[in-house]
């Protein structure tokens, strides 16, 4: 097993990409600290891993709150005494609206969860990662990195572009400690993230664009799956990618090449 004996922190582990990744990591031998905002949302993830003979604990925290993230890392240290992998996946789409209608509060919430949350997750994990080295994988997006035509997604796209810059900066800083930092940029994936997207009055500011039939060329329009993204995260978390750091990888079936 590729991750035997390793400990992984997965944020947003209650659903979607992070849930699929938690399951795959556990199947490959990792112990999983499944982090989310409530025990209810993590229950299924943890129980499914345990039912298959894996080891997992729920970790309750809001990634945008420093004290809660410090406590989360402390819980992992108390449970297993080490941390090898961090999958910083938790995030929100937030409010998508014309610039004049996007409030400072809308902006702050999206940046606080997506960017500050990534910063806090990695920051407080670093002391444990330094003990033996490890891998950090951050979930960004095609938005803000290759796609700029989703008008109104300004706060979201800025947070996602900034995550890539953050990863490159800390990848160089942490390389001496044998800690690798990489980024995945998913396109349309079958998850429930749209449930926390608030779209407001976008029709009158969007430029009309007519795409060829099937906006995802590789699959003729069908979105990717969380399991496909989990396989990419496993590669970046494992020793198979031990010479890769500071790198973003797009996983979108060619969507961003067509739509960007």
């Amino acid at each position: 097993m590729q991750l035997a004996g390793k400990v992984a922190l997965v944020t947003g582990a209650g659903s979607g990409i992070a849930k699929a990744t938690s399951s795959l990591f556990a199947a490959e031998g990792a112990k999983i600290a499944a982090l989310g905002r409530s025990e209810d949302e993590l229950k299924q993830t943890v129980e499914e891993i345990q039912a298959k003979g894996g080891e997992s604990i729920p970790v309750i925290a809001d990634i945008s709150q420093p004290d809660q993230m410090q406590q989360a890392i402390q819980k992992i240290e108390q449970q297993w005494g080490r941390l090898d992998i961090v999958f910083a996946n938790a995030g929100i789409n937030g409010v998508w609206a014309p610039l004049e209608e996007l409030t400072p509060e809308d902006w702050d919430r999206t940046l606080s969860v997506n960017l500050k949350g990534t910063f806090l997750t990695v920051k407080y994990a670093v002391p444990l990662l330094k003990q033996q080295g490890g891998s950090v994988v951050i979930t960004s997006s095609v938005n803000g990195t290759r796609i700029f035509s989703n008008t109104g997604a300004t706060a979201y796209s800025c947070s996602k572009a900034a995550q890539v810059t953050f990863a490159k900066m800390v990848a160089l800083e942490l390389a001496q400690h044998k800690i690798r930092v990489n980024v995945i940029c998913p396109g349309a994936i079958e998850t429930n993230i749209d449930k926390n997207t608030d779209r407001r009055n976008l029709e009158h500011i969007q430029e009309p664009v007519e795409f060829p039939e099937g906006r995802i060329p590789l699959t003729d329009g069908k979105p990717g799956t969380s399991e496909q993204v989990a396989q990419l995260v496993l590669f970046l978390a494992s020793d198979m990618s031990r010479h890769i750091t500071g790198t973003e990888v797009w996983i979108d079936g060619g969507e961003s090449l067509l739509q960007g």
Side-chain angles (χ1 to χ4, degrees), residues 28-254:
E28 290 293 334
K31 300 175 178 67
I32 308 300
L35 187 144
R37 288 179 296 178
S38 72
E39 194 152 358
D40 284 345
E41 71 182 72
L42 298 171
K43 184 177 180 181
Q44 186 179 19
T45 301
V46 172
E47 289 182 350
E48 286 180 3
I49 290 172
Q50 293 174 343
K52 294 177 181 177
E55 194 171 342
S56 179
I57 59 170
V59 180
I60 313 305
D62 179 338
I63 62 169
S64 68
Q65 300 302 311
D67 56 338
Q68 293 185 34
M69 288 310 297
Q70 284 180 286
Q71 292 166 12
I73 298 300
Q74 288 169 2
K75 182 174 181 178
I76 296 169
E77 184 174 22
Q78 291 166 1
Q79 181 75 20
W80 291 304
R82 64 182 293 157
L83 181 61
D84 304 272
I85 299 163
V86 174
F87 181 32
N89 173 82
I92 59 171
N93 276 358
V95 174
W96 291 21
L99 192 59
E100 292 168 284
E101 298 179 27
L102 187 68
T103 70
E105 292 77 19
D106 296 332
W107 175 276
D108 287 347
R109 180 168 182 264
T110 301
L111 271 290
S112 180
V113 174
N114 292 353
L115 184 56
K116 181 182 177 183
T118 298
F119 158 68
L120 295 175
T121 300
V122 178
K123 170 184 171 62
Y124 292 121
V126 163
L128 273 182
L129 290 170
K130 281 183 175 181
Q131 292 180 10
Q132 67 286 310
S135 175
V136 175
V137 182
I138 297 167
T139 299
S140 177
S141 173
V142 292
N143 291 290
T145 58
R146 273 185 176 172
I147 290 180
F148 301 91
S149 54
N150 278 330
T151 307
T154 308
Y156 178 77
S157 294
C158 286
S159 73
K160 292 292 150 179
Q163 284 178 312
V164 175
T165 300
F166 172 81
K168 291 176 184 292
M169 292 295 297
V170 299
L172 189 57
E173 178 181 337
L174 299 176
Q176 62 180 311
H177 302 289
K178 307 303 179 188
I179 300 171
R180 299 182 297 107
V181 185
N182 292 293
V183 184
I184 62 168
C185 301
I189 305 294
E190 293 176 338
T191 71
N192 62 1
I193 194 169
D194 275 349
K195 291 181 181 179
N196 60 34
T197 307
D198 184 357
R199 292 179 171 85
R200 302 176 186 169
N201 302 321
L202 297 174
E203 297 80 7
H204 67 283
I205 64 166
Q206 289 179 328
E207 290 290 334
V209 179
E210 185 174 341
F211 291 102
E213 183 180 352
R215 290 171 63 170
I216 305 174
L218 199 59
T219 58
D220 197 26
K222 184 179 179 181
T225 67
S226 294
E227 289 73 21
Q228 288 171 326
V229 181
Q231 290 165 0
L232 172 59
V233 181
L234 173 61
F235 169 71
L236 292 173
S238 74
D239 289 341
M240 292 180 67
S241 61
R242 58 187 173 272
H243 202 54
I244 300 175
T245 194
T247 297
E248 64 269 52
V249 182
W250 286 269
I251 177 165
D252 67 349

